[in-house]
Structure formats: structure tokens, C-alpha cells
Amino acid sequence: MSLQQAKPPLPSDDKRWKLVNATMRRNGYAGHALIETLHSVQDAFGFLDEGSLRFVASSLDLPLSKVYGVATFYHLFALKPKGRHACVVCTGTACYIKGAGGLVERLQERYDINPGETTEDDRLSLLTARCVGACGLAPAIVIDGDVLGKLDSESLIAKLEELT
Amino acid sequence: MNLDDLTDLAEKYREAEAGVDREVRVCLAASCQSSGAVPVFDALVAELGDTKPSCKVKGVGCMGLCSAGPLVAVADREADLQGSVLYRDVTADDAEDIVASIDGPPVERLRCPTNQPFFARQQKIVLENAGIIDPDSFKGYVAVGGYSALIRALSEMTPADVLREVTDSGLRGRGGGGYPTGLKWSTVAKMPATQKYVICNADEGDPGAFMDRAILESDPHRVLEGMAIAAYAIGANKAYVYVRAEYPLAVERLQTAIRKAKRSGLLGNKIGDTQFSLEVEIRLGAGAFVCGEETALMASIEGLRGQPRPRPPYPAEAGLWGYPTLINNVETFANIAPIVREGGDWFASIGTERSKGTKVFALAGTITNTGLIEVPMGTSLRDIIEVIGGGIPGGKAFKAVQTGGPSGGCIPAQHLDIAVDYDSLKTLGTMMGSGGMIVMDETSSMVDVARYFMEFCMTESCGKCIPCRTGTQQMHSILDRLAKSQATRAELTLLEELCEVVQATSLCGLGQTAPNPVLSTMRYFRDEYEAKLGEV
Ligand SMILES: Cc1cc2nc3c(=O)[nH]c(=O)nc-3n(C[C@H](O)[C@H](O)[C@H](O)COP(=O)(O)O)c2cc1C
Ligand code: SF4
Ligand code: FES
Ligand code: FES
């Protein structure tokens, strides 16, 4: 029966919805493709807003509460937009031992934001992660997807200042 | 395809490369990429150009000494890492000198000796191809004998034969628990069911551990081959690899490997022209430590919140979508092809009485050589840290090594001579876990470390059961007060009681082991706790 079911219209004519739809189609609109689908929404749009959660819920025929429950359970899913740049400080054990805590404090001080927050001018989001698997380079930092290692707080800030 | 066909194929691949006798191997695993290996690779390719057809620049996987990256090895085609000239901290500007050195004397200023214990003391089974073959090359894997164990299992062995070899090998799960792999496989094999699944646990949530990442990035086909052999042995035709999304390069290489293996008929329908078929799919994690726990992982694959459920029933009886499921760690699967190839008895001859084979460890923290090593089970901690790891840098003294991640504990200097295996570490109140070792020098505060792990467990608790959800919070707040010298002796006693309660009453391994870092630091560094007590 669900084969015949009409799929909801795309929320807007933004081309990125096509990517999201492709993920769901590839998985036969099965409910268990929820996490894959949320990944593709976040890859495309950077975060998950209410509209996209509703769209995913009705496309996969799942209750919105379940979609919301899953989206909030996993740390990697963001329900708020991020700034133009993201600086993720690894706070895994190896990085912690090598002073990641100090880096976070220094960034908090410099940009006046806590982990998970974005500067007022929308330029930078500060995030933390648990081990990005580059422990040999501890403390590891991910700036806009690129992993950098062995940075002290001053050279890190210098790098962040270079970003436009 | 039978074994002879595969051997012919390997021969053909080797012949196609026969004109190449020297290789410039550039580590393109994640850590070296972060240190700038890609521009180095490009510069070497540009510099070499067509000048020497007998030499080739090749991207390879992790060579182990990640902290010295980018690493480049110049070697004869058949040579291993130890037999090559190794260069460390290479930059694109060094390309000219390295290319010039191919037929001449080595570039001394960049050299990283390979006769040092870090390389010489290792014994490689799981990592035998890492840093040597191109992980994106199907041909490269076949040329070194890849997939011959699978074809051999399919064409010459019954599932029962495979089970026997794996059981005889004495291999125990490398994901942390150390459960006998042969026993687990046999249990799933015995289940009557029309549908069974194989899952590879590549969640690697343990902070400070990167063995699974390195294996997937260096030799992905080996993991697929192990999974396929497992599927044949237990009677499954569908497999999943659950990988953390934080490992994009590992995911990419795994995808490439699956695609190429399928195209060559070594995955998918009727593998090697036999009746055996296997579909392998990747599922991405989304940043939740608890999803490494097997029942939570399966919930996550089903698209649910990753919350553990009580066991039994174990996944072997009722796993993914209720069907019998075999779930093993990446490194466990990576051991399978060599076991089938060389026989279970060969594997059982390595290691200790009750822990067979080798183990890959990730050395991190304040230690001179940070990176990956593979040593026989039973190697002493002192050898690993002082000899292979090169000891503590900066003239500081060793204080403790943390093993087993958030489920483990800290080992002090007086126990460094212990031979590392599953059981010996348990007697010290810690565990081997997945193989992360974080070395701490005298400047580390053990109360602080305990607080760190408790904060980890508190934020990673899935919240399903109360002892873990609120217990970790309470323990964290006491540890926080202790670290700030505000806690009373009564609170210290309460902390110890909480440890017992949380350990005994939590539903899954996360809560059951969350007190371990506290208990072990209290056991060996009691004086630090006492010194931190407040005035009252
Ligand atoms: C909280 C928690 C996290 C775990 N994380 C992992 C993990 O990241 N990788 C892994 O292989 N096993 C992990 N495990 C162990 C798995 O539940 C399971 O025992 C293992 O994957 C079985 O494979 P093995 O027999 O090959 O070790 C974790 C267990 C717990 C309780
Ligand atoms: S012990 Fe903790 S992580 Fe495990 S089920 Fe209970 S609340 Fe969840
Ligand atoms: S602990 Fe930071 S990269 Fe592993
Ligand atoms: S990543 Fe290059 S040596 Fe480990």
C-alpha cells in the first residue's frame, strides 16, 4: 500500500532537496533510512530546521516526534544554523591531556562564545567533538572540515583570524 | 573463480607492474593528510614526471608513526616498511631531493631510521599491508594475495571447517570485551533462520583510539574479506558496516573498496561463481558513543535512537530486525583472512596462553612516538611505552597509562612490567578495551582525569536507565568539587558507594564500566584524592 502513497511536495524549489529525495528514494523510503536522510539534509543545508524535519517525517511516513527524537539524540545533528566557519576542538582523551581544555577556554575568551554557539556576526561557530581519530596530532582541531594538529592557542587564533 | 584463477589474476597484476622496481610511498591516511601529505604527494608526482618509468609514486595507508607525518618511504617494490628508506616531516619542497635520492644516497636531513625499536619490535598481521599497498587499489590487494582466503574458504572449506579454524585460532574480539570469536560465530551459525546478518562495528567511539580508522583507511578490502568469510561461515547474505561519520576518509575508501570488490565478483551475487552471495552496505553513525554498544548500534541501523536494550536475547539469537546477527569489531574481521590463509594453529602459536595473536595499540598522550603499533599479545607495558613508544618526552617522569578508554583505568609505574593481555589488565582493575593507550606524565592530576572520564560518561549516557543517567551526574559533581578542593570526606565515601551502585545496576556496558576510571585512580593514587579534600 505504501507503494502507492503520494510523496509530499518538496518544501521549496531549492535544488538541494533533490539530493535529500535521492537518499530517501535509494533506500526505498524505508523508515530505517531516517538517519541517512538526516545526514543528507545536514550535508545539504548545514543543519536541520523544523521544516526539513517535517518534510522528512511525512516522506518516510514517520511520526514527527520520532524524527525529532532521533535528530536530538545524536550529537552530530544540529538544529540551529552554524556560522560561516566552524571550528571544532577535539576534546577526546588524548587531546585533553595535550591541553584541548585550554584551547577551548582561550577561544571562549577571544570570541565570547561557549561551545555550541556562534559569534554575533555569524562568522564563527565553536564546537567540540570526541576524538576525530588523529590523536597522534593532539590537540586536534577541525576547521571547516580540515583537520589540523599540534596547534597552540595563539597559532589557532591566528588561523581563525585569517578566515574571511 | 577458483583459487587458481585468483592466483593467475594476482600474477597478472604483478606482471603489469613488473617494469616498476622502486616505489615512493606516501602515507595518505588521515593523520598524515592533516599534516599536509597531499601536497607532498602531488609534488613528488610532478617532480618524478616520466623521468623514471621504473619508479612510481604511490599513495599508501598508515605507516604507524603518525606524529612524524607526512611520512614518505622509498623502497624496492617487494620491500616492507622496515626495508625502506623512510623520511619524516616531509614538505612539498623536499620532493626534488627525494626524487634525486631514488638511485642515490638518502636525504639524511629527513631520515627516520627504521631500525629503531618503534619499527623493529613490531609484528604485523593485521597491519601487514598498511603503508605498503594502495588502499584504493583492488589490484594492489589481490597482488599481495588478497581474497585468496575467501576463495579458498568458498571452494575448499565447508562453513564448519571455517568455524573450526577460527575457533582453533583462539582469536578473541578486539572491540573491547574479548569474547571468543569462534564461539560467537558458532552460536550464530547454529541458529535456524532464513535471514541472518553480519555487522562490522566501526564506530570506534573510544576517545584516543584510532586503530579501526587506520585499518579501514589502509587496507579496507581485508575487512571486507573477513566479513565475507564470516558471512559464509554463519550463513548470512547481508552485511552492514557501521562507521562513525567523523571518519569521512575511512567511509570513502570503504565505499570504493565495496564497489570494486563487487565489480570483480568478490562481493555481491554468486561470489567466485559459487552459490554464496553477500551484499555489503555502509551505515553512518552520528556522534553517539553509546552506539558502539552492540544492541544500541543495531537500533541505530534500524533508524532509531541508539539506546541499548537488555541482553539476553543476544544479537546472536535476535539481533538486527529480530534476526540472528553476528557483530564483530573491525580489527577482529581484519584478523580472519590470515587465520584462514595460515591456519588457526599458526595464529594460536602467537601471543599468550589465553590471548592469542597480536594486538594493535594506539599510543597517544605524552609519549615520544605517538601512533599505531602492532605487537604480540603478552608484550610488556614497559616495552610498549619505554622501548617502542620511546618513553616520555621533555625529561618528565611517567605517571600512568590509561587503557580501555572510558571503561578502563589507569596503570601506575609499579605495574609497568605486566604482560599485556585481556586477563592481566583486568587484574589491575582496567582492561585492554579496543587498544587505546594514553600515556600521562607527572604533570597530570589523576582526580582531574577521573573527572574528565566521568564528564564523558555523563554526557554520553543515553539516559535510558536511572543509575547511569543520574549516577554519573552525581559522581561528576563530587569529582568536580574534589578537583576544586571543595569536597568533604563524607562525599569521598559517597563517591565510592556510587561507584558500586552504578556498576551493579546499570543496563549496559557504558554505565557498568563508567566507575572504572574512578576506582582505578582511587586504588593507585589515593593520596591525590586525600590531598584534594576540603577543609571541613
Ligand atoms: C558503551 C560501549 C561502547 C562500545 N563501543 C564499541 C566500539 O566503538 N567498537 C567496537 O568494536 N565495540 C564497541 N563496544 C563493544 C561492542 O558492544 C561489541 O561487544 C563488539 O563490537 C563485539 O565485537 P568483538 O567480539 O569483535 O569485540 C562497545 C561497548 C559498549 C558497552
Ligand atoms: S547504562 Fe547508561 S548508556 Fe547504558 S542503557 Fe543505561 S543510561 Fe543508557
Ligand atoms: S582524542 Fe583528539 S583526536 Fe583523538
Ligand atoms: S597516518 Fe601516516 S603514519 Fe599514520
Side-chain angles (χ1 to χ4, degrees):
Chain A
M1 37 145 222
S2 64
L3 283 177
Q4 298 302 322
Q5 203 176 317
K7 291 297 162 203
L10 302 183
S12 71
D13 50 14
D14 192 322
K15 287 209 175 56
R16 291 175 286 182
W17 289 115
K18 295 227 162 91
L19 296 173
V20 176
N21 244 1
T23 304
M24 294 193 285
R25 196 171 338 109
R26 195 170 54 246
N27 288 290
Y29 292 93
H32 60 77
L34 174 58
I35 294 171
E36 311 300 298
T37 309
L38 294 179
H39 269 302
S40 77
V41 175
Q42 181 150 316
D43 285 346
F45 296 93
F47 73 111
L48 312 169
D49 65 2
E50 194 190 315
S52 58
L53 293 181
R54 282 185 188 279
F55 172 67
V56 170
S58 53
S59 300
L60 299 181
D61 207 7
L62 296 169
L64 182 61
S65 60
K66 185 179 159 189
V67 173
Y68 186 77
V70 167
T72 50
F73 181 83
Y74 293 95
H75 304 307
L76 229 61
F77 293 134
L79 301 188
K80 279 184 295 187
K82 290 192 202 97
R84 273 177 283 132
H85 299 287
C87 171
V88 186
V89 181
C90 174
T91 54
T93 324
C95 293
Y96 177 78
I97 297 289
K98 289 278 184 93
L103 287 184
V104 175
E105 270 174 36
R106 183 72 187 87
L107 292 179
Q108 278 176 302
E109 216 175 81
R110 170 68 184 75
Y111 295 104
D112 197 23
I113 44 172
N114 291 315
E117 293 177 355
T118 301
T119 52
E120 293 225 330
D121 62 0
D122 244 7
R123 199 175 79 88
L124 183 73
S125 298
L126 173 61
L127 304 158
T128 56
R130 300 288 194 191
C131 193
V132 295
C135 321
L137 304 179
I141 314 287
V142 192
I143 300 179
D144 295 340
D146 290 331
V147 181
L148 305 173
K150 303 188 202 169
L151 288 180
D152 61 30
S153 55
E154 293 324 304
S155 50
L156 172 57
I157 286 177
K159 283 228 182 296
L160 292 175
E161 292 298 298
E162 279 171 24
L163 303 173
T164 48
Chain B
M1 192 184 314
N2 61 29
L3 210 49
D4 289 338
D5 298 340
L6 192 73
T7 317
D8 289 345
L9 197 60
E11 193 51 44
K12 199 181 103 205
Y13 291 154
R14 274 199 293 269
E15 266 169 26
E17 297 264 291
V20 178
D21 50 21
R22 297 280 277 167
E23 287 183 341
V24 180
R25 299 174 183 149
V26 185
C27 173
L28 291 180
S31 203
C32 282
Q33 284 207 15
S34 307
S35 317
V38 173
V40 169
F41 179 84
D42 294 342
L44 283 165
V45 171
E47 183 65 33
L48 189 66
D50 304 326
T51 55
K52 282 193 187 76
S54 64
C55 181
K56 182 175 143 190
V57 182
K58 177 162 139 190
V60 297
C62 182
M63 300 185 186
L65 195 54
C66 312
S67 57
L71 290 173
V72 174
V74 178
D76 285 342
R77 196 160 66 104
E78 306 294 337
D80 61 6
L81 184 56
Q82 250 197 286
S84 36
V85 175
L86 186 64
Y87 297 122
R88 56 178 296 164
D89 300 302
V90 179
T91 65
D93 296 339
D94 298 320
E96 196 181 335
D97 291 351
I98 293 179
V99 168
S101 82
I102 292 171
D103 301 316
V107 192
E108 286 308 329
R109 73 187 151 83
L110 300 172
R111 269 196 89 175
C112 179
T114 52
N115 60 358
Q116 58 177 310
F118 181 84
F119 299 104
R121 288 290 301 277
Q122 296 195 43
Q123 179 178 359
K124 294 189 174 177
I125 296 175
V126 168
L127 298 176
E128 61 187 348
N129 297 330
I132 295 173
I133 65 166
D134 174 355
D136 280 333
S137 166
F138 171 78
K139 294 178 183 174
Y141 183 66
V142 171
V144 294
Y147 286 112
S148 62
L150 173 62
I151 295 294
R152 180 142 170 255
L154 296 183
S155 57
E156 295 176 1
M157 297 166 85
T158 63
D161 293 335
V162 177
L163 292 175
R164 193 170 337 101
E165 293 299 333
V166 174
T167 306
D168 287 351
S169 74
L171 175 66
R172 294 168 69 177
R174 301 296 195 237
Y179 190 81
T181 306
L183 193 55
K184 194 189 268 188
W185 287 25
S186 304
T187 313
V188 189
K190 273 196 220 103
M191 295 298 296
T194 47
Q195 178 70 58
K196 292 180 189 177
Y197 295 101
V198 167
I199 298 177
C200 173
N201 187 343
D203 194 51
E204 193 155 68
D206 178 356
F210 47 100
M211 298 80 45
D212 295 349
R213 170 175 203 160
I215 294 167
L216 291 171
E217 287 176 353
S218 306
D219 201 1
H221 283 288
R222 154 184 301 262
V223 180
L224 295 175
E225 186 176 1
M227 291 175 70
I229 294 170
Y232 172 69
I234 65 153
N237 61 8
K238 174 96 205 182
Y240 292 93
V241 190
Y242 187 86
V243 197
R244 37 188 339 223
E246 289 90 333
Y247 287 180
L249 186 64
V251 174
E252 204 183 297
R253 291 196 175 154
L254 200 54
Q255 264 161 351
T256 305
I258 294 175
R259 187 164 36 82
K260 292 191 176 174
K262 208 167 154 179
R263 198 183 323 134
S264 312
L266 289 161
L267 284 182
N269 257 338
K270 304 211 161 152
I271 297 177
D273 305 325
T274 65
Q275 290 308 306
F276 172 66
S277 302
L278 181 69
E279 286 303 324
V280 181
E281 228 183 284
I282 297 178
R283 284 299 165 105
L284 289 187
F289 172 65
V290 72
C291 285
E293 197 277 338
E294 52 194 27
T295 60
L297 187 150
M298 293 185 305
S300 186
I301 292 184
E302 292 172 16
L304 309 170
R305 293 157 56 147
Q307 290 189 310
R309 58 159 176 77
R311 301 172 308 169
Y314 287 91
E317 300 154 54
L320 200 58
W321 289 296
Y323 293 105
T325 302
L326 171 76
I327 175 164
N328 275 131
N329 166 263
V330 173
E331 192 183 330
T332 312
F333 282 125
N335 271 302
I336 298 301
I339 288 174
V340 171
R341 193 179 66 211
E342 315 278 340
D345 292 339
W346 160 79
F347 192 84
S349 70
I350 304 162
T352 64
E353 183 62 35
R354 299 198 49 227
S355 301
K356 302 298 187 188
T358 55
K359 177 78 193 85
V360 183
F361 292 104
L363 298 181
T366 42
I367 181 157
T368 306
N369 301 327
T370 43
L372 274 198
I373 59 161
E374 180 173 358
V375 291
M377 293 276 189
T379 305
S380 81
L381 259 185
R382 190 181 299 285
D383 268 0
I384 292 177
I385 291 166
E386 293 180 1
V387 183
I388 300 173
I392 315 292
K396 299 239 169 54
F398 169 88
K399 182 160 194 183
V401 53
Q402 213 279 343
T403 69
S407 318
C410 294
I411 303 172
Q414 74 256 33
H415 289 301
L416 273 182
D417 287 310
I418 191 147
V420 179
D421 69 14
Y422 287 103
D423 310 299
S424 65
L425 292 188
K426 279 199 189 135
T427 65
L428 296 183
T430 179
M431 58 191 273
M432 179 135 83
S434 57
M437 286 198 176
I438 304 201
V439 179
M440 293 174 266
D441 68 15
E442 56 192 327
T443 60
S444 287
S445 150
M446 291 297 124
V447 176
D448 204 44
V449 168
R451 176 180 62 169
Y452 169 82
F453 279 108
M454 200 46 70
E455 198 244 352
F456 182 91
C457 292
M458 174 180 79
T459 40
E460 295 298 328
S461 166
C462 83
K464 183 168 177 169
C465 57
I466 295 166
C468 169
R469 185 176 69 223
T470 58
T472 51
Q473 271 169 1
Q474 276 201 51
M475 291 202 278
H476 178 260
S477 80
I478 296 178
L479 285 163
D480 192 44
R481 286 169 50 75
L482 259 169
K484 294 176 180 151
S485 296
Q486 292 167 345
T488 61
R489 182 164 299 280
E491 283 177 295
L492 190 59
T493 314
L494 179 62
L495 180 64
E496 291 184 90
E497 284 170 16
L498 277 166
C499 283
E500 274 173 46
V501 173
V502 173
Q503 212 166 35
T505 57
S506 291
L507 171 61
C508 86
L510 191 153
Q512 286 158 8
T513 59
N516 287 1
V518 184
L519 289 170
S520 85
T521 46
M522 272 202 199
R523 175 165 163 190
Y524 297 118
F525 302 95
R526 182 89 198 182
D527 51 330
E528 288 190 33
Y529 281 84
E530 297 285 339
K532 286 271 185 189
L533 282 179
E535 297 301 289
V536 199

